[in-house]
Amino acid sequence: MLRKPEGFLKEGSKVFRPAPADKRIIRALLQAAQTKAKDVKLDAVSLDTRVEAAYDAVYDCCLAVLYAERYRTNAVTGHHQEALEAACALVGTGDGLFEKLDALRDVRNLKYTGAPRTQADLTEAKAVMERFTELAVAWLKRKHADLLRE
């Protein structure tokens, strides 16, 4: 069962803290996600960079979802994993998509070992990014349309 931010907080997590639902930040995060999603399609850049861009698009959407629900994240150990899980719980993606996003996080973190990403990594990253961002944006439009308006 995926945990929302409240569940993590009850367990003593230091990742989440209350924050106002700032529509400028939410829109900026969604714009950043859109830009990164375009970068994924650029054949002129390396596979590593394109996989990283797919992850960044997902993470920016996660942060937009969390801001809409009045949460920010602290840069503490495990904050990416908890943010991904909490955003999936809020959006209602189910465990399967969260597991794929968490696997993308692992592939993204290969950069810290110097291991290159593969075409298969990019193909999966792109598919997972597209599915999650589609669901997250639809959820934001349904639940927080007021935050998306100018």
Side-chain angles (χ1 to χ4, degrees), residues 3-6 65-66 69 71 85-92 139:
R3 296 167 288 178
K4 294 181 180 178
E6 307 83 54
V65 165
L66 293 167
E69 288 291 306
Y71 289 101
E85 183 176 339
C88 284
L90 290 165
V91 170
W139 178 86

Side-chain angles (χ1 to χ4, degrees), residues 47-48 50-51 107 110 115-125:
L47 285 173
D48 289 335
R50 294 167 70 193
V51 169
V107 169
L110 288 174
R117 272 56 70 89
T118 66
Q119 182 62 48
D121 292 334
L122 176 60
T123 300
E124 181 65 13

Side-chain angles (χ1 to χ4, degrees), residues 3-73:
R3 296 167 288 178
K4 294 181 180 178
E6 307 83 54
F8 281 109
L9 288 169
K10 285 180 187 173
E11 295 169 7
S13 171
K14 303 286 188 225
V15 170
F16 302 102
R17 68 178 189 265
D22 187 326
K23 64 181 7 181
R24 289 171 303 164
I25 293 173
I26 293 165
R27 287 196 311 262
L29 286 164
L30 292 174
Q31 181 60 51
Q34 200 171 46
T35 299
K36 291 295 185 172
K38 288 178 185 173
D39 291 348
V40 173
K41 299 173 185 171
L42 296 176
D43 292 332
V45 297
S46 70
L47 285 173
D48 289 335
T49 299
R50 294 167 70 193
V51 169
E52 185 88 16
Y55 180 81
D56 287 348
V58 166
Y59 195 70
D60 287 341
C61 276
C62 283
L63 294 178
V65 165
L66 293 167
Y67 260 102
E69 288 291 306
R70 302 182 185 281
Y71 289 101
R72 284 193 62 186
T73 59

